[in-house]
Amino acid sequence: MLRILCPACHFAFLQLTPPEEGEVICPRCGTRFKPVEEEIVDPEDD
Amino acid sequence: MTDDTETRSGPVPSGREVIERVITATGEWQLQRTGSHYEIICNGVFLMASYNRDSDRALAALALRGIPGQGLRVLVGGLGVGYTAQAALEDPRVERLDVAEIEPVVVAWHRAHFAGLCGQPLEDPRTMLFLSDVYDVPLRSGSYDAVLLDTDNGPGWLVREANARLYGPQGLTGFLQALRPGGVLGCWSAEPAPRLAETLARAGASVDVIEVEDRIAPDRRGTAWLYLAQRH
């Protein structure tokens, strides 16, 4: 489980698999970026 | 993510105006407008519309009504327009809402076109978005008070064949086991789904079937079916 933080709008979301080609598109603002602040998280941890 | 995008303006023969059509890993998705309403077509099958409001909201409201306690944790499978998620958040006892949406383009359309209709549930600090098939969300025993499935048009009218596993014995048992005692698994269906009720009952849940009136077209009302299975 990857917790991904958008560098533009700071929206956090979870993704089960690593992003394709290392890039993701923020589902909030549409910014395309390579996550640098991603971490494996347990969904039970708040 | 999105592989191909086509935008077309002007009416199509049905009188709908196609806003956007994209082909993604999960198939072909089309956003279209009819009057003041939006509709989403997935793989050529009608999936959801902004006028399908009452039954989507009822799925959350009726499921949560039967659950005691505070600090509730809810999982919604399928963001869609966002009505179900928003209705869950309107229960002040909900402490956390996880929303699983497999298709990023649906999230994008939600933000661009639907969020204003339903109250922007993804902006609520209690909400966490899983960009994932709800089937793949890690489930621990007793981790949710409610799991609300609003995928496809119900178990008998799928837009993705892979979603049949959500409504089979293994899938439903997994969702039921993710509930705390007294928790509710709610499933939305556009048509009666007696096999769904049987499967839920065989899994040991108490099942209520509720018919809810809703718009099935901008100017036509019809019925949706809610299956609420409570874990003992």
Side-chain angles (χ1 to χ4, degrees):
Chain A
M1 181 75 67
L2 301 172
R3 181 180 184 274
I4 299 174
L5 185 65
C6 173
C9 71
H10 306 294
F11 182 68
F13 57 100
L14 299 175
Q15 195 160 302
L16 294 176
T17 55
E20 292 178 15
E21 300 175 357
E23 281 197 338
V24 298
I25 298 174
C26 174
R28 182 196 217 183
C29 69
T31 298
R32 183 184 293 270
F33 63 99
K34 288 188 177 181
V36 292
E37 291 187 49
E38 65 179 35
E39 53 184 320
I40 296 175
V41 298
D42 186 318
E44 289 299 301
D45 296 337
D46 290 318
Chain B
M1 299 261 178
T2 300
D3 301 311
D4 186 28
T5 302
E6 173 189 345
T7 303
R8 178 192 295 176
S9 60
V12 294
S14 64
R16 267 69 172 168
E17 178 187 7
V18 176
I19 306 300
E20 190 174 1
R21 180 183 296 137
V22 298
I23 297 174
T24 75
T26 59
E28 183 186 79
W29 295 79
Q30 178 170 302
L31 176 67
Q32 59 191 34
R33 182 163 49 206
T34 173
S36 60
H37 290 288
Y38 294 94
E39 299 170 331
I40 291 181
I41 310 297
C42 178
N43 294 325
V45 179
F46 174 87
L47 178 59
M48 69 184 93
S50 58
Y51 47 78
N52 299 144
R53 178 177 183 272
D54 294 351
S55 60
D56 283 6
R57 288 182 54 81
L59 177 63
L62 296 178
L64 293 173
R65 189 175 66 180
I67 301 171
Q70 303 287 326
L72 305 185
R73 299 173 67 112
V74 179
L75 170 64
V76 171
L79 171 63
V81 176
Y83 292 137
T84 302
Q86 181 60 29
L89 291 168
E90 289 172 10
D91 187 324
R93 299 176 302 146
V94 172
E95 177 183 89
R96 172 160 170 165
L97 175 70
D98 293 338
V99 178
E101 173 53 58
I102 191 172
E103 183 46 66
V105 76
V106 171
V107 180
W109 289 343
H110 166 83
R111 291 200 179 282
H113 303 286
F114 307 148
L117 301 173
C118 65
Q120 301 186 329
L122 295 184
E123 296 299 318
D124 192 292
R126 294 172 290 171
T127 302
M128 178 57 73
L129 174 67
F130 287 63
L131 268 182
S132 161
D133 189 330
V134 66
Y135 190 85
D136 295 327
V137 172
L139 297 175
R140 278 189 186 165
S141 178
S143 55
Y144 288 106
D145 295 284
V147 175
L148 308 174
L149 297 182
D150 187 5
T151 70
D152 305 272
N153 293 298
W157 186 357
L158 303 175
V159 298
R160 293 179 68 237
E161 285 302 316
N163 284 350
R165 61 186 180 175
L166 297 175
Y167 303 100
Q170 186 174 341
L172 294 174
T173 299
F175 290 124
L176 286 169
Q177 288 178 343
L179 296 173
R180 295 171 179 161
V184 173
L185 168 60
C187 303
W188 187 98
S189 181
E191 56 190 13
R195 285 185 60 187
L196 172 63
E198 290 169 14
T199 306
L200 290 167
R202 273 200 214 103
S206 300
V207 184
D208 285 331
V209 183
I210 302 172
E211 296 183 24
V212 179
E213 188 177 318
D214 201 352
R215 285 185 182 180
I216 56 174
D219 55 355
R220 191 154 51 100
R221 298 193 73 81
T223 302
W225 281 261
L226 307 181
Y227 292 81
L228 303 181
Q230 189 154 33
R231 180 179 177 180
H232 297 294

